[in-house]
């Protein structure tokens, strides 16, 4: 008679915890759908309990995101690390196609940014103002990253032991995806 029991390696927990902490501290934090992240954690705990499988599944989710959203690469760029970010953004926006601009003009945040602009002039105005808008968003993402880093450091030092599950980086990342900690694109 074969008796199979589940066992857990502490290295898997540490690896996934470190990955979640690195994602939270990154200015380019990928904001997965909360249900997707919950599914990844569920698969980790109930099916495979493998950090390499978790990373592969996370990588697949991110690749799907970047392949399905044609301009998602812009939010993943570390614009503040560039020497001349503004001229780089001007170069990127000058090479956007009409299809890219049409896609951008459908986003609620872009529509709110261009409120008051006539519909015919929106594409031209967007092309002119997009570098400044992207720099503003990069600065906001950087500030949110610093705040999340401080939050993780505080939780780690203040709540050890029994409360660790509720203050772990993977739990904070899940709360950030749900909008309770400040995950905005």
């Amino acid at each position: 008679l074969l008796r199979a029991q589940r066992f857990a390696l502490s290295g898997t927990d540490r690896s996934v915890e470190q990955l979640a902490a690195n994602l939270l501290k990154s200015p380019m934090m990928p904001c997965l759908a909360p249900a997707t992240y919950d599914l990844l954690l569920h698969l980790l705990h109930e099916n495979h309990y493998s950090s390499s499988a978790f990373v592969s599944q996370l990588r697949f989710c991110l690749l799907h995101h970047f392949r399905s959203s044609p301009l998602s690469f812009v939010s993943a760029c570390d614009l503040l690390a560039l020497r001349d970010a503004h001229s780089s953004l001007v170069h990127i926006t000058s090479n956007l196609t009409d299809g890219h601009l049409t896609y951008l003009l459908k986003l609620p945040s872009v529509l709110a940014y261009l409120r008051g602009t006539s519909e015919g002039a929106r594409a031209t105005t967007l092309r002119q103002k997009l570098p400044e808008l992207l720099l503003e968003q990069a600065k906001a993402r950087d500030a949110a990253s610093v705040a999340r880093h401080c939050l993780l450091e505080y939780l780690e030092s203040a709540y050890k032991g029994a409360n660790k599950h509720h203050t772990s980086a993977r739990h904070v990342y899940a709360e950030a995806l749900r909008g309770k900690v400040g995950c905005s694109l």
Side-chain angles (χ1 to χ4, degrees):
L1 200 51
L2 177 66
R3 281 190 187 190
Q5 292 183 358
R6 254 183 86 187
F7 65 93
L9 298 175
S10 62
T12 299
D13 268 341
R14 282 194 304 267
S15 298
V16 171
E17 191 66 24
Q18 187 62 41
L19 176 64
N22 288 341
L23 289 174
L24 273 168
K25 293 173 187 176
S26 169
M28 291 80 58
M29 180 180 103
C31 287
L32 300 170
T36 302
Y37 185 67
D38 289 341
L39 176 64
L40 288 175
L41 288 179
H42 175 76
L43 291 173
L44 173 70
H45 293 296
E46 301 299 326
N47 289 12
H48 51 71
Y49 214 75
S50 163
S51 56
S52 62
F54 180 80
V55 168
S56 295
Q57 291 167 341
L58 180 63
R59 183 179 297 140
F60 176 78
C61 290
L62 293 175
L63 286 174
H64 175 66
H65 168 72
F66 285 112
R67 288 191 57 114
S68 63
S69 303
L71 295 172
S72 57
F73 75 92
V74 175
S75 66
C77 294
D78 188 3
L79 299 173
L80 299 178
L82 296 174
R83 231 182 248 142
D84 191 8
H86 189 268
S87 65
S88 299
L89 286 171
V90 168
H91 178 70
I92 289 172
T93 56
S94 66
N95 289 311
L96 292 178
T97 65
D98 291 338
H100 290 130
L101 289 176
T102 302
Y103 179 80
L104 283 171
L105 287 169
K106 291 179 182 178
L107 297 173
S109 59
V110 173
L111 287 174
Y113 186 75
L114 296 174
R115 188 175 299 136
T117 307
S118 67
E119 197 163 326
R122 284 186 181 164
T124 306
T125 305
L126 177 62
R127 193 178 293 275
Q128 292 169 350
K129 292 186 175 187
L130 192 57
E132 289 82 18
L133 176 63
L134 291 173
L135 274 176
E136 286 175 23
Q137 287 183 340
K139 289 175 184 173
R141 277 194 311 273
D142 198 48
S145 166
V146 170
R148 289 189 303 265
H149 181 79
C150 290
L151 175 66
L152 278 180
E153 293 296 321
Y154 169 75
L155 291 173
E156 189 176 294
S157 65
Y159 299 103
K160 296 178 182 176
N163 290 329
K164 185 66 179 155
H165 172 71
H166 296 292
T167 60
S168 68
R170 72 178 84 175
H171 183 73
V172 173
Y173 185 63
E175 294 300 316
L177 292 175
R178 288 184 186 91
K180 296 180 180 177
V181 176
C183 173
S184 62
L185 292 176

